[in-house]
Each structure stands twice: as structure tokens, then as C-alpha cells.
Amino acid sequence: VQLVESGGGLVQAGGSLRLSCVASGSIRAINAMGWYRQGPGKQRELVATITSGGRTNYADPVKGRFTISRDNGKNTVYLQMNSLKPEDTAVYYCNADVMDVYSNGYRPYWGQGTQVTVSS
């Protein structure tokens, strides 16, 4: 199973970016999916999560600015980021709880990360 992110880049403060993450491989089912980020000199932190049924959860710093969504048919999760601030600068990682075809339980998988840089 692999998770591949795309959509990162450099943007000015106040701008927008849309991140995508596609899960592929021997997938039987995907439960929750989410986005995390790690800024310079900081620990990795939760940004947003979404269940297979569409229930969402957001970290306080991004509420009202970021929107997480998913397409279950495409095994893809998105993160629409609006009103970006310099403090949003980080490597953004995709996470998914996946059951592969060889097991009966879910385990977490991570993408390789995509850099988001917001200039002031």
C-alpha cells in the first residue's frame, strides 16, 4: 500500500492551495484518512481527519480556513487550504488507516510528505 501526496508549493499569504493524496496497492478497505504537518523545528501535528462516512475533525489553527474531503471510489483525500498564513508553512503528510487484502485489521500508512511554503 502506498500513499502519494501532491499539490504542495510556494504561495503568498492569503492564497490557496489544494493537496491531494491517493492510496494505491492491495487495498481491501480504508477507514479514516487525514492530514498532518510538521513545521520547521516542530513536532508533527494533526491538521484534519475524515472518516469513511464523511465526519470531519479539524485542529483549531485551521478551522474555518481548511476543508478536508475524500472520494472513496478513488481512494483519495483532499485538503483545500484557503487564507494561508506563514505559520502554515510545513511538510504536509497524508495518513490513512488501511486494511490490505492480506489481513483482517487496519494499520496506519503515511505518505512521503509535500512541502507547503507560505511567504509573507
Side-chain angles (χ1 to χ4, degrees), residues 3-41:
L3 302 184
V4 178
E5 302 104 333
S6 61
L10 174 64
V11 64
Q12 288 189 331
S16 298
L17 283 174
R18 188 190 195 210
L19 305 183
S20 300
C21 172
V22 181
S24 63
S26 302
I27 297 171
R28 178 181 296 177
I30 302 177
N31 197 357
M33 304 183 81
W35 291 94
Y36 291 72
R37 67 186 182 185
Q38 187 166 14

PDB file of all heavy atoms in Angstrom, residues 3-41:
ATOM      1  N   LEU A   3       0.796   5.695  -0.215  1.00  0.00           N
ATOM      2  CA  LEU A   3       0.082   6.961  -0.223  1.00  0.00           C
ATOM      3  C   LEU A   3       0.978   7.980  -0.909  1.00  0.00           C
ATOM      4  O   LEU A   3       2.152   8.130  -0.531  1.00  0.00           O
ATOM      5  CB  LEU A   3      -0.237   7.439   1.193  1.00  0.00           C
ATOM      6  CG  LEU A   3      -1.069   6.524   2.088  1.00  0.00           C
ATOM      7  CD1 LEU A   3      -1.355   7.207   3.412  1.00  0.00           C
ATOM      8  CD2 LEU A   3      -2.361   6.120   1.420  1.00  0.00           C
ATOM      9  N   VAL A   4       0.450   8.675  -1.892  1.00  0.00           N
ATOM     10  CA  VAL A   4       1.246   9.653  -2.633  1.00  0.00           C
ATOM     11  C   VAL A   4       0.524  10.990  -2.610  1.00  0.00           C
ATOM     12  O   VAL A   4      -0.605  11.105  -3.097  1.00  0.00           O
ATOM     13  CB  VAL A   4       1.478   9.204  -4.087  1.00  0.00           C
ATOM     14  CG1 VAL A   4       2.264  10.263  -4.847  1.00  0.00           C
ATOM     15  CG2 VAL A   4       2.209   7.865  -4.120  1.00  0.00           C
ATOM     16  N   GLU A   5       1.213  11.998  -2.027  1.00  0.00           N
ATOM     17  CA  GLU A   5       0.647  13.348  -1.957  1.00  0.00           C
ATOM     18  C   GLU A   5       1.084  14.168  -3.155  1.00  0.00           C
ATOM     19  O   GLU A   5       2.130  13.918  -3.754  1.00  0.00           O
ATOM     20  CB  GLU A   5       1.102  14.073  -0.692  1.00  0.00           C
ATOM     21  CG  GLU A   5       0.762  13.388   0.616  1.00  0.00           C
ATOM     22  CD  GLU A   5       1.947  12.722   1.251  1.00  0.00           C
ATOM     23  OE1 GLU A   5       2.877  12.336   0.511  1.00  0.00           O
ATOM     24  OE2 GLU A   5       1.974  12.578   2.493  1.00  0.00           O
ATOM     25  N   SER A   6       0.294  15.181  -3.460  1.00  0.00           N
ATOM     26  CA  SER A   6       0.650  16.158  -4.485  1.00  0.00           C
ATOM     27  C   SER A   6      -0.059  17.464  -4.168  1.00  0.00           C
ATOM     28  O   SER A   6      -0.997  17.493  -3.363  1.00  0.00           O
ATOM     29  CB  SER A   6       0.256  15.662  -5.884  1.00  0.00           C
ATOM     30  OG  SER A   6      -1.138  15.462  -5.972  1.00  0.00           O
ATOM     31  N   GLY A   7       0.412  18.544  -4.812  1.00  0.00           N
ATOM     32  CA  GLY A   7      -0.270  19.818  -4.680  1.00  0.00           C
ATOM     33  C   GLY A   7       0.433  20.851  -3.822  1.00  0.00           C
ATOM     34  O   GLY A   7      -0.038  21.988  -3.727  1.00  0.00           O
ATOM     35  N   GLY A   8       1.532  20.486  -3.189  1.00  0.00           N
ATOM     36  CA  GLY A   8       2.252  21.464  -2.398  1.00  0.00           C
ATOM     37  C   GLY A   8       2.942  22.484  -3.268  1.00  0.00           C
ATOM     38  O   GLY A   8       2.957  22.383  -4.497  1.00  0.00           O
ATOM     39  N   GLY A   9       3.511  23.519  -2.616  1.00  0.00           N
ATOM     40  CA  GLY A   9       4.219  24.536  -3.365  1.00  0.00           C
ATOM     41  C   GLY A   9       4.404  25.798  -2.561  1.00  0.00           C
ATOM     42  O   GLY A   9       4.228  25.808  -1.342  1.00  0.00           O
ATOM     43  N   LEU A  10       4.774  26.858  -3.270  1.00  0.00           N
ATOM     44  CA  LEU A  10       5.009  28.167  -2.665  1.00  0.00           C
ATOM     45  C   LEU A  10       3.841  29.081  -2.987  1.00  0.00           C
ATOM     46  O   LEU A  10       3.431  29.185  -4.154  1.00  0.00           O
ATOM     47  CB  LEU A  10       6.306  28.757  -3.208  1.00  0.00           C
ATOM     48  CG  LEU A  10       6.650  30.192  -2.805  1.00  0.00           C
ATOM     49  CD1 LEU A  10       6.869  30.282  -1.299  1.00  0.00           C
ATOM     50  CD2 LEU A  10       7.876  30.672  -3.566  1.00  0.00           C
ATOM     51  N   VAL A  11       3.315  29.743  -1.973  1.00  0.00           N
ATOM     52  CA  VAL A  11       2.173  30.636  -2.169  1.00  0.00           C
ATOM     53  C   VAL A  11       2.329  31.831  -1.238  1.00  0.00           C
ATOM     54  O   VAL A  11       2.945  31.722  -0.164  1.00  0.00           O
ATOM     55  CB  VAL A  11       0.844  29.889  -1.901  1.00  0.00           C
ATOM     56  CG1 VAL A  11       0.736  29.439  -0.452  1.00  0.00           C
ATOM     57  CG2 VAL A  11      -0.345  30.709  -2.323  1.00  0.00           C
ATOM     58  N   GLN A  12       1.780  32.965  -1.639  1.00  0.00           N
ATOM     59  CA  GLN A  12       1.809  34.142  -0.786  1.00  0.00           C
ATOM     60  C   GLN A  12       0.731  34.053   0.288  1.00  0.00           C
ATOM     61  O   GLN A  12      -0.287  33.375   0.111  1.00  0.00           O
ATOM     62  CB  GLN A  12       1.595  35.399  -1.626  1.00  0.00           C
ATOM     63  CG  GLN A  12       2.790  35.765  -2.499  1.00  0.00           C
ATOM     64  CD  GLN A  12       2.618  37.130  -3.152  1.00  0.00           C
ATOM     65  OE1 GLN A  12       1.494  37.559  -3.415  1.00  0.00           O
ATOM     66  NE2 GLN A  12       3.719  37.798  -3.420  1.00  0.00           N
ATOM     67  N   ALA A  13       0.972  34.753   1.376  1.00  0.00           N
ATOM     68  CA  ALA A  13      -0.017  34.796   2.451  1.00  0.00           C
ATOM     69  C   ALA A  13      -1.359  35.270   1.899  1.00  0.00           C
ATOM     70  O   ALA A  13      -1.419  36.195   1.072  1.00  0.00           O
ATOM     71  CB  ALA A  13       0.453  35.726   3.558  1.00  0.00           C
ATOM     72  N   GLY A  14      -2.419  34.596   2.349  1.00  0.00           N
ATOM     73  CA  GLY A  14      -3.753  34.895   1.847  1.00  0.00           C
ATOM     74  C   GLY A  14      -4.170  34.042   0.672  1.00  0.00           C
ATOM     75  O   GLY A  14      -5.351  34.039   0.295  1.00  0.00           O
ATOM     76  N   GLY A  15      -3.226  33.314   0.106  1.00  0.00           N
ATOM     77  CA  GLY A  15      -3.504  32.483  -1.048  1.00  0.00           C
ATOM     78  C   GLY A  15      -4.076  31.132  -0.673  1.00  0.00           C
ATOM     79  O   GLY A  15      -4.354  30.851   0.500  1.00  0.00           O
ATOM     80  N   SER A  16      -4.242  30.284  -1.698  1.00  0.00           N
ATOM     81  CA  SER A  16      -4.849  28.973  -1.513  1.00  0.00           C
ATOM     82  C   SER A  16      -4.030  27.892  -2.194  1.00  0.00           C
ATOM     83  O   SER A  16      -3.326  28.155  -3.179  1.00  0.00           O
ATOM     84  CB  SER A  16      -6.266  28.954  -2.112  1.00  0.00           C
ATOM     85  OG  SER A  16      -7.109  29.876  -1.469  1.00  0.00           O
ATOM     86  N   LEU A  17      -4.121  26.693  -1.653  1.00  0.00           N
ATOM     87  CA  LEU A  17      -3.558  25.501  -2.259  1.00  0.00           C
ATOM     88  C   LEU A  17      -4.499  24.339  -2.003  1.00  0.00           C
ATOM     89  O   LEU A  17      -5.223  24.331  -1.004  1.00  0.00           O
ATOM     90  CB  LEU A  17      -2.184  25.162  -1.666  1.00  0.00           C
ATOM     91  CG  LEU A  17      -0.963  25.963  -2.105  1.00  0.00           C
ATOM     92  CD1 LEU A  17       0.253  25.541  -1.280  1.00  0.00           C
ATOM     93  CD2 LEU A  17      -0.684  25.798  -3.583  1.00  0.00           C
ATOM     94  N   ARG A  18      -4.442  23.355  -2.880  1.00  0.00           N
ATOM     95  CA  ARG A  18      -5.225  22.140  -2.691  1.00  0.00           C
ATOM     96  C   ARG A  18      -4.288  20.938  -2.741  1.00  0.00           C
ATOM     97  O   ARG A  18      -3.628  20.711  -3.753  1.00  0.00           O
ATOM     98  CB  ARG A  18      -6.303  21.999  -3.764  1.00  0.00           C
ATOM     99  CG  ARG A  18      -7.275  20.849  -3.496  1.00  0.00           C
ATOM    100  CD  ARG A  18      -8.146  20.596  -4.686  1.00  0.00           C
ATOM    101  NE  ARG A  18      -9.303  19.751  -4.365  1.00  0.00           N
ATOM    102  CZ  ARG A  18      -9.875  18.936  -5.228  1.00  0.00           C
ATOM    103  NH1 ARG A  18      -9.417  18.826  -6.461  1.00  0.00           N
ATOM    104  NH2 ARG A  18     -10.937  18.218  -4.870  1.00  0.00           N
ATOM    105  N   LEU A  19      -4.245  20.205  -1.664  1.00  0.00           N
ATOM    106  CA  LEU A  19      -3.435  18.997  -1.594  1.00  0.00           C
ATOM    107  C   LEU A  19      -4.304  17.774  -1.922  1.00  0.00           C
ATOM    108  O   LEU A  19      -5.488  17.737  -1.582  1.00  0.00           O
ATOM    109  CB  LEU A  19      -2.828  18.818  -0.210  1.00  0.00           C
ATOM    110  CG  LEU A  19      -2.004  19.983   0.344  1.00  0.00           C
ATOM    111  CD1 LEU A  19      -1.421  19.606   1.709  1.00  0.00           C
ATOM    112  CD2 LEU A  19      -0.907  20.390  -0.616  1.00  0.00           C
ATOM    113  N   SER A  20      -3.674  16.801  -2.557  1.00  0.00           N
ATOM    114  CA  SER A  20      -4.340  15.531  -2.849  1.00  0.00           C
ATOM    115  C   SER A  20      -3.465  14.389  -2.363  1.00  0.00           C
ATOM    116  O   SER A  20      -2.232  14.505  -2.346  1.00  0.00           O
ATOM    117  CB  SER A  20      -4.578  15.369  -4.349  1.00  0.00           C
ATOM    118  OG  SER A  20      -5.386  16.392  -4.863  1.00  0.00           O
ATOM    119  N   CYS A  21      -4.101  13.289  -2.007  1.00  0.00           N
ATOM    120  CA  CYS A  21      -3.372  12.095  -1.585  1.00  0.00           C
ATOM    121  C   CYS A  21      -4.134  10.878  -2.097  1.00  0.00           C
ATOM    122  O   CYS A  21      -5.305  10.705  -1.766  1.00  0.00           O
ATOM    123  CB  CYS A  21      -3.241  12.052  -0.079  1.00  0.00           C
ATOM    124  SG  CYS A  21      -2.561  10.506   0.569  1.00  0.00           S
ATOM    125  N   VAL A  22      -3.448  10.067  -2.882  1.00  0.00           N
ATOM    126  CA  VAL A  22      -4.048   8.863  -3.451  1.00  0.00           C
ATOM    127  C   VAL A  22      -3.441   7.635  -2.799  1.00  0.00           C
ATOM    128  O   VAL A  22      -2.204   7.498  -2.735  1.00  0.00           O
ATOM    129  CB  VAL A  22      -3.823   8.799  -4.968  1.00  0.00           C
ATOM    130  CG1 VAL A  22      -4.470   7.547  -5.537  1.00  0.00           C
ATOM    131  CG2 VAL A  22      -4.374  10.038  -5.642  1.00  0.00           C
ATOM    132  N   ALA A  23      -4.301   6.748  -2.332  1.00  0.00           N
ATOM    133  CA  ALA A  23      -3.857   5.473  -1.776  1.00  0.00           C
ATOM    134  C   ALA A  23      -3.978   4.403  -2.858  1.00  0.00           C
ATOM    135  O   ALA A  23      -4.997   4.327  -3.555  1.00  0.00           O
ATOM    136  CB  ALA A  23      -4.700   5.099  -0.568  1.00  0.00           C
ATOM    137  N   SER A  24      -2.939   3.590  -2.999  1.00  0.00           N
ATOM    138  CA  SER A  24      -2.959   2.550  -4.023  1.00  0.00           C
ATOM    139  C   SER A  24      -2.307   1.284  -3.490  1.00  0.00           C
ATOM    140  O   SER A  24      -1.614   1.308  -2.476  1.00  0.00           O
ATOM    141  CB  SER A  24      -2.227   3.027  -5.284  1.00  0.00           C
ATOM    142  OG  SER A  24      -0.862   3.282  -5.002  1.00  0.00           O
ATOM    143  N   GLY A  25      -2.528   0.191  -4.195  1.00  0.00           N
ATOM    144  CA  GLY A  25      -1.951  -1.085  -3.779  1.00  0.00           C
ATOM    145  C   GLY A  25      -3.044  -2.089  -3.474  1.00  0.00           C
ATOM    146  O   GLY A  25      -4.177  -1.981  -3.939  1.00  0.00           O
ATOM    147  N   SER A  26      -2.680  -3.088  -2.662  1.00  0.00           N
ATOM    148  CA  SER A  26      -3.592  -4.191  -2.349  1.00  0.00           C
ATOM    149  C   SER A  26      -4.525  -3.793  -1.198  1.00  0.00           C
ATOM    150  O   SER A  26      -4.416  -4.285  -0.088  1.00  0.00           O
ATOM    151  CB  SER A  26      -2.784  -5.432  -1.990  1.00  0.00           C
ATOM    152  OG  SER A  26      -1.928  -5.793  -3.054  1.00  0.00           O
ATOM    153  N   ILE A  27      -5.460  -2.907  -1.512  1.00  0.00           N
ATOM    154  CA  ILE A  27      -6.353  -2.325  -0.513  1.00  0.00           C
ATOM    155  C   ILE A  27      -7.684  -3.048  -0.492  1.00  0.00           C
ATOM    156  O   ILE A  27      -8.328  -3.196  -1.519  1.00  0.00           O
ATOM    157  CB  ILE A  27      -6.568  -0.827  -0.802  1.00  0.00           C
ATOM    158  CG1 ILE A  27      -5.242  -0.071  -0.686  1.00  0.00           C
ATOM    159  CG2 ILE A  27      -7.608  -0.237   0.149  1.00  0.00           C
ATOM    160  CD1 ILE A  27      -5.320   1.375  -1.161  1.00  0.00           C
ATOM    161  N   ARG A  28      -8.090  -3.455   0.712  1.00  0.00           N
ATOM    162  CA  ARG A  28      -9.416  -4.026   0.886  1.00  0.00           C
ATOM    163  C   ARG A  28     -10.393  -2.948   1.346  1.00  0.00           C
ATOM    164  O   ARG A  28     -11.525  -2.886   0.874  1.00  0.00           O
ATOM    165  CB  ARG A  28      -9.397  -5.162   1.898  1.00  0.00           C
ATOM    166  CG  ARG A  28     -10.763  -5.794   2.165  1.00  0.00           C
ATOM    167  CD  ARG A  28     -10.670  -6.905   3.191  1.00  0.00           C
ATOM    168  NE  ARG A  28      -9.857  -8.024   2.724  1.00  0.00           N
ATOM    169  CZ  ARG A  28      -9.587  -9.092   3.462  1.00  0.00           C
ATOM    170  NH1 ARG A  28     -10.039  -9.171   4.695  1.00  0.00           N
ATOM    171  NH2 ARG A  28      -8.840 -10.066   2.972  1.00  0.00           N
ATOM    172  N   ALA A  29      -9.944  -2.103   2.270  1.00  0.00           N
ATOM    173  CA  ALA A  29     -10.821  -1.052   2.791  1.00  0.00           C
ATOM    174  C   ALA A  29      -9.965   0.041   3.433  1.00  0.00           C
ATOM    175  O   ALA A  29      -8.853  -0.218   3.880  1.00  0.00           O
ATOM    176  CB  ALA A  29     -11.793  -1.609   3.821  1.00  0.00           C
ATOM    177  N   ILE A  30     -10.518   1.234   3.451  1.00  0.00           N
ATOM    178  CA  ILE A  30      -9.869   2.368   4.113  1.00  0.00           C
ATOM    179  C   ILE A  30     -10.830   2.949   5.126  1.00  0.00           C
ATOM    180  O   ILE A  30     -11.989   3.230   4.799  1.00  0.00           O
ATOM    181  CB  ILE A  30      -9.447   3.456   3.112  1.00  0.00           C
ATOM    182  CG1 ILE A  30      -8.489   2.883   2.064  1.00  0.00           C
ATOM    183  CG2 ILE A  30      -8.779   4.619   3.838  1.00  0.00           C
ATOM    184  CD1 ILE A  30      -8.082   3.890   0.989  1.00  0.00           C
ATOM    185  N   ASN A  31     -10.346   3.148   6.340  1.00  0.00           N
ATOM    186  CA  ASN A  31     -11.176   3.746   7.381  1.00  0.00           C
ATOM    187  C   ASN A  31     -10.915   5.253   7.378  1.00  0.00           C
ATOM    188  O   ASN A  31     -11.166   5.923   6.392  1.00  0.00           O
ATOM    189  CB  ASN A  31     -10.875   3.089   8.722  1.00  0.00           C
ATOM    190  CG  ASN A  31     -11.954   3.360   9.755  1.00  0.00           C
ATOM    191  OD1 ASN A  31     -12.911   4.081   9.487  1.00  0.00           O
ATOM    192  ND2 ASN A  31     -11.796   2.794  10.933  1.00  0.00           N
ATOM    193  N   ALA A  32     -10.409   5.784   8.440  1.00  0.00           N
ATOM    194  CA  ALA A  32     -10.155   7.227   8.495  1.00  0.00           C
ATOM    195  C   ALA A  32      -8.970   7.613   7.626  1.00  0.00           C
ATOM    196  O   ALA A  32      -8.025   6.837   7.442  1.00  0.00           O
ATOM    197  CB  ALA A  32      -9.906   7.667   9.930  1.00  0.00           C
ATOM    198  N   MET A  33      -9.033   8.825   7.091  1.00  0.00           N
ATOM    199  CA  MET A  33      -7.916   9.428   6.367  1.00  0.00           C
ATOM    200  C   MET A  33      -7.673  10.812   6.956  1.00  0.00           C
ATOM    201  O   MET A  33      -8.588  11.414   7.543  1.00  0.00           O
ATOM    202  CB  MET A  33      -8.211   9.545   4.873  1.00  0.00           C
ATOM    203  CG  MET A  33      -8.561   8.230   4.215  1.00  0.00           C
ATOM    204  SD  MET A  33      -8.814   8.365   2.435  1.00  0.00           S
ATOM    205  CE  MET A  33      -7.107   8.337   1.847  1.00  0.00           C
ATOM    206  N   GLY A  34      -6.467  11.307   6.813  1.00  0.00           N
ATOM    207  CA  GLY A  34      -6.206  12.595   7.407  1.00  0.00           C
ATOM    208  C   GLY A  34      -4.944  13.248   6.902  1.00  0.00           C
ATOM    209  O   GLY A  34      -4.187  12.672   6.111  1.00  0.00           O
ATOM    210  N   TRP A  35      -4.763  14.468   7.353  1.00  0.00           N
ATOM    211  CA  TRP A  35      -3.571  15.258   7.046  1.00  0.00           C
ATOM    212  C   TRP A  35      -2.902  15.702   8.336  1.00  0.00           C
ATOM    213  O   TRP A  35      -3.583  16.124   9.287  1.00  0.00           O
ATOM    214  CB  TRP A  35      -3.941  16.488   6.214  1.00  0.00           C
ATOM    215  CG  TRP A  35      -4.397  16.161   4.831  1.00  0.00           C
ATOM    216  CD1 TRP A  35      -5.678  15.976   4.400  1.00  0.00           C
ATOM    217  CD2 TRP A  35      -3.563  15.961   3.686  1.00  0.00           C
ATOM    218  NE1 TRP A  35      -5.693  15.670   3.074  1.00  0.00           N
ATOM    219  CE2 TRP A  35      -4.408  15.663   2.603  1.00  0.00           C
ATOM    220  CE3 TRP A  35      -2.183  16.018   3.467  1.00  0.00           C
ATOM    221  CZ2 TRP A  35      -3.919  15.419   1.314  1.00  0.00           C
ATOM    222  CZ3 TRP A  35      -1.701  15.771   2.196  1.00  0.00           C
ATOM    223  CH2 TRP A  35      -2.563  15.480   1.137  1.00  0.00           C
ATOM    224  N   TYR A  36      -1.589  15.613   8.349  1.00  0.00           N
ATOM    225  CA  TYR A  36      -0.765  16.076   9.451  1.00  0.00           C
ATOM    226  C   TYR A  36       0.301  16.996   8.858  1.00  0.00           C
ATOM    227  O   TYR A  36       0.541  16.972   7.646  1.00  0.00           O
ATOM    228  CB  TYR A  36      -0.101  14.897  10.175  1.00  0.00           C
ATOM    229  CG  TYR A  36      -1.080  14.034  10.929  1.00  0.00           C
ATOM    230  CD1 TYR A  36      -1.963  13.188  10.255  1.00  0.00           C
ATOM    231  CD2 TYR A  36      -1.138  14.048  12.324  1.00  0.00           C
ATOM    232  CE1 TYR A  36      -2.879  12.403  10.947  1.00  0.00           C
ATOM    233  CE2 TYR A  36      -2.042  13.257  13.023  1.00  0.00           C
ATOM    234  CZ  TYR A  36      -2.904  12.445  12.319  1.00  0.00           C
ATOM    235  OH  TYR A  36      -3.804  11.665  13.004  1.00  0.00           O
ATOM    236  N   ARG A  37       0.929  17.780   9.707  1.00  0.00           N
ATOM    237  CA  ARG A  37       2.004  18.643   9.208  1.00  0.00           C
ATOM    238  C   ARG A  37       3.123  18.756  10.241  1.00  0.00           C
ATOM    239  O   ARG A  37       2.891  18.576  11.431  1.00  0.00           O
ATOM    240  CB  ARG A  37       1.476  20.033   8.847  1.00  0.00           C
ATOM    241  CG  ARG A  37       0.999  20.855  10.034  1.00  0.00           C
ATOM    242  CD  ARG A  37       0.360  22.151   9.551  1.00  0.00           C
ATOM    243  NE  ARG A  37      -0.083  22.997  10.662  1.00  0.00           N
ATOM    244  CZ  ARG A  37      -0.758  24.128  10.509  1.00  0.00           C
ATOM    245  NH1 ARG A  37      -1.085  24.563   9.289  1.00  0.00           N
ATOM    246  NH2 ARG A  37      -1.117  24.849  11.562  1.00  0.00           N
ATOM    247  N   GLN A  38       4.310  19.046   9.737  1.00  0.00           N
ATOM    248  CA  GLN A  38       5.466  19.243  10.600  1.00  0.00           C
ATOM    249  C   GLN A  38       6.213  20.476  10.125  1.00  0.00           C
ATOM    250  O   GLN A  38       6.802  20.482   9.034  1.00  0.00           O
ATOM    251  CB  GLN A  38       6.386  18.026  10.581  1.00  0.00           C
ATOM    252  CG  GLN A  38       7.515  18.099  11.581  1.00  0.00           C
ATOM    253  CD  GLN A  38       8.200  16.765  11.797  1.00  0.00           C
ATOM    254  OE1 GLN A  38       8.021  15.813  11.034  1.00  0.00           O
ATOM    255  NE2 GLN A  38       8.982  16.650  12.856  1.00  0.00           N
ATOM    256  N   GLY A  39       6.138  21.529  10.934  1.00  0.00           N
ATOM    257  CA  GLY A  39       6.833  22.760  10.612  1.00  0.00           C
ATOM    258  C   GLY A  39       8.283  22.718  11.047  1.00  0.00           C
ATOM    259  O   GLY A  39       8.685  21.811  11.797  1.00  0.00           O
ATOM    260  N   PRO A  40       9.077  23.676  10.621  1.00  0.00           N
ATOM    261  CA  PRO A  40      10.498  23.711  10.972  1.00  0.00           C
ATOM    262  C   PRO A  40      10.704  23.721  12.491  1.00  0.00           C
ATOM    263  O   PRO A  40      10.157  24.592  13.182  1.00  0.00           O
ATOM    264  CB  PRO A  40      10.985  25.017  10.337  1.00  0.00           C
ATOM    265  CG  PRO A  40       9.998  25.316   9.266  1.00  0.00           C
ATOM    266  CD  PRO A  40       8.690  24.796   9.754  1.00  0.00           C
ATOM    267  N   GLY A  41      11.440  22.765  13.001  1.00  0.00           N
ATOM    268  CA  GLY A  41      11.717  22.703  14.424  1.00  0.00           C
ATOM    269  C   GLY A  41      10.535  22.299  15.292  1.00  0.00           C
ATOM    270  O   GLY A  41      10.590  22.457  16.514  1.00  0.00           O
TER     271      GLY A  41
END
